[in-house]
Amino acid sequence: MDEISKKQLSVLTNFIVTIVLLIAVVVIGLLYFMNNPDEWNKPDEVPGQAPTESTTEEVPKDTISTFENALYDTYGLVKDAGVTEVAQNCTQCHSAKLVTQNRLSKEGWEATIRWMQETQNLWDLGQNEEVIISYLAKNYGPDQKGRRQNLTKVKWYELQ
């Protein structure tokens, strides 16, 4: 068996020291955050204490519009009547991208919902169903462009 050269031993030693230091940093970080949860999770109220003044204030009206804008920014949905219902019901199971990339008629959206109810365990949408279908047909109907259009006037050639 060949002896390990000094260079190989040095490389191995440096590797082991690096791993040990990395583990130490991770453990220290975990211990710090476990013992100081206020650093990463600042609750509004502390159990057993009366609420502070900031928690008893009314929510500013600007906050509501900020929340609504976050819906459109986060999900990429068109801002229109019914968007909240769509976000609440459709994004529970799949990404909003799945909605926005499709272009279906009112009947197509209804058929898709029925398919999801029959095969994917989608719940009964109740009175929200008509609102959702109307929103989807209006904003993601077949008359709007979705995915890129088919390529036309392309001169194809065979690979050799």
Side-chain angles (χ1 to χ4, degrees), residues 4 11 26 41 43 46 48 58 70 75 95 103 107 111 118 123 130 136 156:
I4 298 175
V11 169
V26 170
N41 185 16
V46 176
E58 285 188 29
Y75 295 115
S95 167
R103 302 291 174 188
E107 295 77 21
E118 292 168 6
W123 51 87
E130 185 56 36
L136 294 172
W156 297 100

Side-chain angles (χ1 to χ4, degrees), residues 148 150-159:
R148 70 163 176 80
N150 290 337
L151 297 174
T152 57
K153 300 180 184 176
V154 176
K155 193 173 190 178
W156 297 100
Y157 58 93
E158 288 188 33
L159 295 175

